[in-house]
Amino acid sequence: MMRTRMIAMVGALAGSIGLLGLTGAPALATGSARDCVVDLDHATMTCAATEAQARHQGGVTPAALTIARVYDGTNYSGASLAFVQSRACTPAYDSEWQWDNLGVTSGGNWSNRISSVRTYNKCDVRFFDGVNFGGASSTWIDASANLGAVGSGWSNRASSVKFS
């Protein structure tokens, strides 16, 4: 009887570990949400099967400019999170826009998940270890196919982000 209970408990524990995942990487939201768009003008995020669908569902105007796109895989692969704004960035590094908590999203937790980044429309990006721009920060980045090679390694490390 004791052995049967122990086997059942080990089985339940193994099942729980399987549900949580062993990699420690944040899971994508279930269903069809794969790509997300953050509208920095309105501080909203929408996720869908494609970026185009997320833009449409989120009511992002066609004139909105993509200023940065991050990916959960290296070499600009995997799920993506696009940041859009109504105007291009200025040349100065003055933190024109920001997103203070990459873990608070409707499409899954993007905190400690970003592995590559591209910027557009004269913008650069700066990542922070902690939410609300706390902890260590990266240099200003224009593009990186592998954030693990930037500074002391920024792959799967960012919890908040600023744009300039």
Side-chain angles (χ1 to χ4, degrees), residues 27-43:
L28 279 174
T30 58
S32 62
R34 173 181 157 81
D35 295 317
C36 302
V37 175
V38 170
D39 182 342
L40 293 167
D41 285 329
H42 301 101

Side-chain angles (χ1 to χ4, degrees), residues 45-66:
M45 174 183 279
T46 307
C47 298
T50 67
E51 182 180 325
Q53 289 173 344
R55 282 175 175 262
H56 177 72
Q57 290 173 10
V60 176
T61 65
L65 300 172
T66 300

Side-chain angles (χ1 to χ4, degrees), residues 3 35 37 43 55 57-58 65 71 80-81 113 118 135 155:
R3 181 178 170 162
D35 295 317
V37 175
R55 282 175 175 262
Q57 290 173 10
L65 300 172
Y71 302 84
S80 70
L81 174 60
R113 179 174 164 190
R118 281 191 174 145
S155 186

